[in-house]
Structures are given as C-alpha cells and as structure tokens.
Amino acid sequence: MEKRYTTWNEYLRGRFGEKVFKVPIDAGFDCPNRDGTVAKGGCTFCSVSGSGDMILEPEAPIDVQFRAEVDQFHKKWPNVAKYIAYFQNYTNTHGSLETIKSRFEPALVQDNVVGISIGTRPDCLPADVVDYLADIQARGFEVWIDLGLQTTYEATSDLINRAHDYGTYVDAVERLRAHGIKVCTHLINGLPGETPEMMLENVRRTVLDSDIQGIKLHLLHLMRNTAMQRDYHAGRLQLLSRDEYVNIICDQLELIPKDIVIHRLTGDAPRDSIIGPMWSLKKWEVLNAIDAELERRDVYQGDRDVRKEILVRQ
C-alpha cells in the first residue's frame, strides 16, 4: 500500500534506484553527558547500550560488525547490494578527529557502501569534524547526521539531562547545512510532563527554526535500569496509549512539509529490557494503525504544512 507520507525507503529507492540497507554499527563512543564532559549519568531515558540494544556484535571490530549485520539482512533480502553504514548508539562524533576517522573509514571502505548515517548530539560537532563530514560527502557518499534533539522545551531537556540547549541545536544544523550535509532530527513523544500540544509544538519549532531534510519521531520506551524509572514510579511520567500515540503522530505528520523524509515513526526495544508501553513491541501493528488513521482522516503528510501557515499569516 502506498504510504501517505514520505518514507525513508521511498527516499532511498528514489536516490539509488533500489532498496538500500542501513547497517547499524557500535563504534565504541561515549556521550558527553555520561562521561562528565558536560554532565554525568546520560539522558534519563537511555539504556546502558545507548540505544544500540539491537546490534548483533557490538564488541567486534567495525568491519566484522558490518559483515555480521549484512549477512543477517541477506537471510530475508538476498538480492540487496547497497548499504549505508549507521553509527547508531551513543554520540558518534564525541572524540578527537583522529579517533572519529579511525572508526568511520573502516565502514566506508566496505564493498557497496554508498553512504553513512551518524547519530550524534548538537554540542559534539566542532568545525574540524564538520569539515571531515563535508569531505566524506565530497567523496561521493550520501551523508546524514542523525541529530538528537528529543524536545525543544528547555525544562524538559533539563529534566531528562540532555545538557545542551535548543540554541546549540539550531546552530549545529546551520553549520551542517552550510556544507550541504543532510540532517535528520530526532524527537521523542511521551517525555515527562509534555502534553500532546507540546509534542506538536516540538515539530513546529523544529521545522520552522532549522533547515532539516529528515525527521525521526520516536515513542518514549521506558527501559529497565534507567534513571527515568524514578519519574515513572514517582508518578511524573504517564506512558502513552497506542491510540494516543497514533493520533499524535498523525497530527505531527500533517504539520511536516512533504519534502522532509520521515525516517521513523516508532522504534524497537528488546522485550526483556522494556517496562512499557508493551503495545509498542508490535511495531507493524502500530505502523498499520497510523496508516489506517491517516486514511480515516483522508490526510497526507504536509496537509497543514507549518511553513505555509507562516506564509499565510504574513
């Protein structure tokens, strides 16, 4: 069934003419709000693996990780032959330029790698690293920065221990875009204290304040052995129901311009580590429910494009 929003797979097929695998890699980085650079403890929602729970061989050398993931993919899709190396967990530009190069380059030299996607934070993109990313792009690779923002509200950001402000995010996007580097911003729905109206405002601000090419909308997964468990047990966190989440996502999609690629509308979490919402483990049911709600409303991504709303007001 044709989607009512611009999917990541659709974008890649248009860009490369075929299906492309995004290959997750654990490069062994830490985060500045974990190691004391800017804070301790990390984001309160983050698991011990730094969102890399699903990586097959996180301790192996990068080339070994890459081949293991590709072999697994090929069990289901044997004919796919192009890959994007995805440096997924923790902050993959938190280190010296030499260290970063030593971890990215082994992935870039793997057969049929056409691009790189780098999960990082806006406060870990100094000029020399941005220049290196621009160099990778100049070598013909597709470069995406998966930029963790999570929320535009400073109070929420402080509560979850992000340890950077919204202005730092806006500045980072501007500097990346000056080199033409594509940015996919991450937002989390269901953070403590945030209402559906605030979640919509997160999307409005992100689209209007920064020149992004992609967006990931995550459901907050409450994981075991995370600081956020305290908020949950203290009653400061209410987990979203599936119906609530589906409606929020559909409202957000209507606001997002059609040219912005939707990289994700939910996420994955290992069953033995998640506290809730347990309905999120049935990922395809969630995605099907989103499709059904968009069809019921008879709406598409961008039907209430926030950029056009501003032009009308002006």
Side-chain angles (χ1 to χ4, degrees):
M1 183 179 70
E2 185 176 343
K3 298 288 186 180
R4 290 178 174 242
Y5 54 91
T6 305
T7 68
W8 174 237
N9 281 336
E10 177 187 348
Y11 167 80
L12 290 176
R13 284 185 183 275
R15 173 76 171 82
F16 296 103
E18 61 186 279
K19 186 175 180 63
V20 179
F21 283 146
K22 196 173 182 182
V23 182
I25 294 171
D26 184 335
F29 289 100
D30 205 336
C31 288
N33 64 340
R34 288 168 50 95
D35 66 10
T37 303
V38 296
K40 288 281 192 181
C43 297
T44 62
F45 58 78
C46 196
S47 67
V48 67
S49 65
S51 302
D53 304 270
M54 311 301 282
I55 295 175
L56 294 176
E57 298 187 27
E59 303 298 326
I62 286 166
D63 59 335
V64 175
Q65 288 188 50
F66 183 91
R67 288 193 294 271
E69 296 287 345
V70 166
D71 288 346
Q72 184 68 21
F73 284 139
H74 281 172
K75 291 177 181 178
K76 186 172 183 180
W77 293 283
N79 298 320
V80 176
K82 290 182 180 176
Y83 315 106
I84 289 178
Y86 180 26
F87 288 81
Q88 180 177 11
N89 53 323
Y90 296 122
T91 303
N92 291 280
T93 57
H94 180 45
S96 69
L97 180 59
E98 292 72 20
T99 298
I100 293 167
K101 286 182 176 181
S102 72
R103 298 178 190 182
F104 289 179
E105 293 297 327
L108 293 172
V109 299
Q110 298 301 309
D111 290 342
N112 299 316
V113 168
V114 295
I116 186 170
S117 179
I118 302 159
T120 191
R121 291 164 51 98
D123 56 350
C124 290
L125 288 163
D128 60 344
V129 171
V130 174
D131 287 343
Y132 170 56
L133 299 175
D135 174 71
I136 294 175
Q137 183 166 264
R139 286 149 58 187
F141 293 103
E142 177 92 355
V143 178
W144 281 86
I145 300 302
D146 274 54
L147 198 56
L149 173 60
Q150 320 312 356
T151 179
T152 66
Y153 288 91
E154 303 295 359
T156 308
S157 185
D158 291 344
L159 182 63
I160 64 176
N161 196 39
R162 282 300 291 173
H164 69 75
D165 62 14
Y166 184 54
T168 300
Y169 159 80
V170 173
D171 174 70
V173 176
E174 183 177 341
R175 291 186 295 106
L176 289 164
R177 293 300 299 144
H179 292 274
I181 297 168
K182 298 180 182 70
V183 177
C184 174
T185 297
H186 293 217
L187 295 171
I188 296 179
N189 289 321
L191 290 171
E194 293 206 350
T195 63
E197 292 73 23
M198 293 170 73
M199 297 174 212
L200 294 183
E201 186 62 18
N202 281 330
V203 166
R204 286 193 185 93
R205 292 176 181 176
T206 302
V207 169
L208 294 175
D209 295 346
S210 53
D211 176 23
I212 62 172
Q213 292 63 57
I215 195 165
K216 279 189 178 180
L217 299 171
H218 295 265
L219 168 68
L220 174 69
H221 288 124
L222 181 60
M223 307 296 288
R224 300 186 190 281
N225 303 315
T226 60
M228 191 166 281
Q229 283 182 261
R230 293 195 298 268
D231 294 311
Y232 181 64
H233 293 307
R236 294 187 294 269
L237 172 64
Q238 299 297 318
L239 300 179
L240 293 171
S241 71
R242 195 182 82 168
D243 286 347
E244 288 173 325
Y245 187 71
V246 167
N247 278 296
I248 289 165
I249 286 290
C250 292
D251 289 344
Q252 290 173 322
L253 285 172
E254 287 192 65
L255 298 177
I256 298 170
K258 295 181 186 296
D259 62 305
I260 293 178
V261 181
I262 308 301
H263 288 233
R264 178 174 289 177
L265 292 179
T266 184
D268 300 295
R271 182 177 293 273
D272 60 354
S273 301
I274 188 173
I275 296 172
M278 298 308 292
W279 55 261
S280 68
L281 294 173
K282 298 179 179 179
K283 180 178 178 179
W284 288 106
E285 290 186 10
V286 178
L287 293 173
N288 289 339
I290 292 168
D291 290 341
E293 178 61 16
L294 291 171
E295 186 171 359
R296 187 194 69 78
R297 298 184 186 189
D298 192 21
V299 296
Y300 292 81
Q301 176 185 342
D303 275 0
R304 294 189 292 129
D305 186 332
V306 292
R307 292 175 184 162
K308 294 179 181 177
E309 283 184 10
I310 295 300
L311 290 174
V312 169
R313 291 173 192 168
Q314 292 174 341

